Amino acid sequence: MAKRCERLGTSAAARSALRDAEAVLFDCDGVLWRGEAAIPGAAEALGRLAGAGKQLCYVTNNSSRTRQAYVEKLQRLGFPPAETRQVFGSAYCAARYLSHALPAGGAAYVLGGAALSAELEAVGVAHLGTGPAPEPGSANFGSRAPLDPSVRAVLVGYDEHFSYGKLCLALRYLMRDGCLLVGTNRDNRLPLEGGSAVPGTGCLVKAVETAAEREAFIIGKPSRYIFECVGKEFNIDPARTIMVGDRLDTDILMGNNCGLTTLLTLTGVSTLEEVKGHLESDCPERRKLVPDYYVDSIADLLPTLQD
Amino acid sequence: MAKRCERLGTSAAARSALRDAEAVLFDCDGVLWRGEAAIPGAAEALGRLAGAGKQLCYVTNNSSRTRQAYVEKLQRLGFPPAETRQVFGSAYCAARYLSHALPAGGAAYVLGGAALSAELEAVGVAHLGTGPAPEPGSANFGSRAPLDPSVRAVLVGYDEHFSYGKLCLALRYLMRDGCLLVGTNRDNRLPLEGGSAVPGTGCLVKAVETAAEREAFIIGKPSRYIFECVGKEFNIDPARTIMVGDRLDTDILMGNNCGLTTLLTLTGVSTLEEVKGHLESDCPERRKLVPDYYVDSIADLLPTLQD
């Protein structure tokens, strides 16, 4: 049945959608909080969902935080206590992917920061490349640095130290036979408070893909892989799972592709105006971006959860 | 008439194609030279073409050399003497474009090096950004550096100092109303001797386009713009002009799009195998990559030019 993005009010349909759900997956930034400020009422809503026995999970494309950092942030902002196994960040899931996909003795050349390094370390994936790289003019600049013979994958995540030298090195590894190319996510921009933004990991992935002339395997939403990680950790039924997110092209698309019930919250990136454009479109690809339901804020779930 | 990529031998057709041409445009790297070594016989072939009264021009996507540097290299490798006005590099043509497209008092934020800066300087385009940029952690890192109010365009060229901080700054300028986005070219890779390669400007353009969520105006081949620059400098008839290049997706496509006779030389990037794939394809886009003629090397023109 075609999804129509209905307001999830206090109707009988809303009650039954929430009552029947066994698991609720949340995107974090723009859904539970913005920066360091919790969305008002969000913590209480999640408390009630947990109290009603729903399995809560946190599914985020952000590769610059470890799972432990999410557990601590949830606690700091008053959300129900969470364990690291409930957190599916693209850094952790990328590490998990490489721990299976890399051949024995293989290492990853990583464009990314400390969190990505920590998650790789935690699952035992050998890696190099995080942090600053040599400047042009240096003997070890990426176009001429010696290659590490153990590298069998290039992993692209959020990297404040991304540079042309790193791009050179990534290309040189990717020109070797059988070298995997993995990206944590394709987010174009990370919005900041006040309407500004910084470039997302998607820009860095595109740069590497363009050089390598091939597509990366993507870990984060809308890729199914990150949901498969949830499914391997918790025995959940997609038909009884709700995905809650603020982005149509990542959260809602992943949820729809995986057979989940999808709920858009308007406290983040995407707008009802965009949904309207997709609803009116004849393009099947755009129709996949339409959620089942929307709320202005997940605090709107509170009245329905009160009894 | 469909192009068929015939060998340009010493046939009557070859003689008349060369005899009738008034102008011959050459890509440089992979056509006239590889690195610092001239293609054997190339200088002599160009000498004969010039001697026969053909207008020679040099049309290159490389944005890391000035026109003057090309004039000097042609001289150093024994090619016929050239003036700067015969050289159409993407750095010079980008400067020319911005000198018309920028509003009065407008400046360009430039991802690029000294050559791009020199060409902008030469045509009087105010600009900033070339060379190294502040590191993460610095107060002037791109995500928080103050913006220059005069910037009305972002120009992306080849930049060894390309970094995440520069990408941040480019995005912040591009989020302002009316800021132009211009790329010198879309080349994915720059091949090096020995089968290695470094990432081309196309990778950097893609990164900026992905952040800005819009397409750049491209100066270099296959864009028509670089040929329009030739046409403004020399009164040439496209029907009596030959474009000689080693890349199907830049040189040959541009020539075909502009109504020129196209000649592929096999001393560089593209192969006859690729042409064969395009010839056998039903896709109209791929058919545009088929040249009129090919030679193993432009030295093969010598016998036809001997009388």
Side-chain angles (χ1 to χ4, degrees), chain A residues 132 135-137 141 143-144 158-165 167-169 171-172 175 186-190 192 195-200 202-204 206-208 210-213 247, chain B residues 132 135-137 141 143-144 158-165 167-169 171-172 175 186-190 192 195-200 202-204 206-208 210-213 247:
Chain A
E135 289 290 297
F141 188 61
S143 59
R144 52 188 170 262
Y158 180 75
D159 186 3
E160 276 201 332
H161 290 280
F162 184 81
S163 66
Y164 184 73
L167 187 57
C168 287
L169 213 41
L171 171 58
R172 291 171 64 210
M175 288 176 80
R186 285 201 189 278
D187 294 43
N188 294 344
R189 288 185 190 176
L190 309 176
L192 303 179
S196 186
V198 294
C203 306
L204 315 184
K206 271 285 182 195
V208 176
T210 303
E213 297 174 352
R247 284 185 79 132
Chain B
E135 289 290 298
F141 188 60
S143 59
R144 52 189 170 261
Y158 180 75
D159 187 3
E160 276 201 332
H161 290 281
F162 184 81
S163 66
Y164 184 73
L167 187 57
C168 287
L169 213 42
L171 171 58
R172 291 172 64 209
M175 288 176 81
R186 286 200 188 279
D187 294 44
N188 294 344
R189 287 186 191 177
L190 309 176
L192 303 179
S196 187
V198 293
C203 306
L204 315 185
K206 271 285 183 197
V208 177
T210 304
E213 297 175 352
R247 285 184 78 132

Side-chain angles (χ1 to χ4, degrees), chain A residues 93-277:
Chain A
C93 294
R96 188 169 163 146
Y97 177 78
L98 286 175
S99 72
H100 297 113
L102 274 175
Y109 175 67
V110 180
L111 304 176
L116 199 44
S117 185
E119 294 289 22
L120 290 161
E121 187 85 28
V123 299
V125 172
H127 60 282
L128 58 152
T130 56
E135 289 290 297
S138 144
N140 274 327
F141 188 61
S143 59
R144 52 188 170 262
L147 297 182
D148 184 312
S150 69
V151 168
R152 293 284 182 281
V154 169
L155 170 60
V156 186
Y158 180 75
D159 186 3
E160 276 201 332
H161 290 280
F162 184 81
S163 66
Y164 184 73
K166 288 190 175 192
L167 187 57
C168 287
L169 213 41
L171 171 58
R172 291 171 64 210
Y173 282 121
L174 288 164
M175 288 176 80
R176 302 201 301 191
D177 276 348
C179 185
L180 304 171
L181 174 53
V182 179
T184 58
N185 65 87
R186 285 201 189 278
D187 294 43
N188 294 344
R189 288 185 190 176
L190 309 176
L192 303 179
E193 291 301 313
S196 186
V198 294
T201 304
C203 306
L204 315 184
V205 171
K206 271 285 182 195
V208 176
E209 287 181 322
T210 303
E213 297 174 352
R214 58 174 152 133
E215 279 205 9
F217 177 81
I218 300 295
I219 299 294
K221 300 167 285 186
S223 165
R224 304 174 68 94
Y225 182 77
I226 200 164
F227 178 67
E228 288 168 15
C229 291
V230 179
K232 274 178 189 148
E233 191 68 34
F234 298 100
N235 183 25
I236 63 175
D237 175 4
R240 300 185 70 180
T241 298
I242 302 177
M243 174 71 213
V244 187
D246 70 314
R247 284 185 79 132
L248 299 173
D249 60 347
T250 54
D251 305 317
I252 302 305
L253 181 56
M254 184 275 271
N256 288 347
N257 281 342
C258 295
L260 316 183
T261 299
T262 47
L263 172 60
L264 174 70
T265 174
L266 298 174
T267 45
V269 170
S270 297
T271 63
L272 275 188
E273 198 67 25
E274 291 168 59
V275 177
K276 195 159 169 275

Side-chain angles (χ1 to χ4, degrees), chain B residues 144-271:
Chain B
R144 52 189 170 261
L147 298 182
D148 184 313
S150 69
V151 169
R152 294 281 183 281
V154 169
L155 171 60
V156 187
Y158 180 75
D159 187 3
E160 276 201 332
H161 290 281
F162 184 81
S163 66
Y164 184 73
K166 289 189 174 193
L167 187 57
C168 287
L169 213 42
L171 171 58
R172 291 172 64 209
Y173 282 122
L174 288 164
M175 288 176 81
R176 302 200 302 189
D177 276 349
C179 185
L180 304 170
L181 174 54
V182 180
T184 58
N185 66 88
R186 286 200 188 279
D187 294 44
N188 294 344
R189 287 186 191 177
L190 309 176
L192 303 179
E193 292 301 312
S196 187
V198 293
T201 304
C203 306
L204 315 185
V205 172
K206 271 285 183 197
V208 177
E209 288 181 321
T210 304
E213 297 175 352
R214 57 173 152 136
E215 279 206 10
F217 178 82
I218 299 295
I219 300 296
K221 300 168 285 186
S223 166
R224 305 174 68 94
Y225 183 77
I226 201 163
F227 178 68
E228 287 168 16
C229 292
V230 179
K232 274 178 189 149
E233 192 68 34
F234 297 101
N235 182 26
I236 62 173
D237 175 3
R240 301 185 69 180
T241 299
I242 302 177
M243 174 72 216
V244 187
D246 70 314
R247 285 184 78 132
L248 300 173
D249 59 347
T250 55
D251 305 318
I252 302 307
L253 181 57
M254 186 276 271
N256 288 346
N257 282 341
C258 295
L260 317 182
T261 298
T262 47
L263 172 59
L264 175 71
T265 174
L266 298 175
T267 46
V269 171
S270 297
T271 63

Side-chain angles (χ1 to χ4, degrees), chain B residues 109-126:
Chain B
Y109 175 67
V110 180
L111 304 176
L116 198 45
S117 185
E119 293 290 23
L120 290 162
E121 188 84 27
V123 298
V125 171

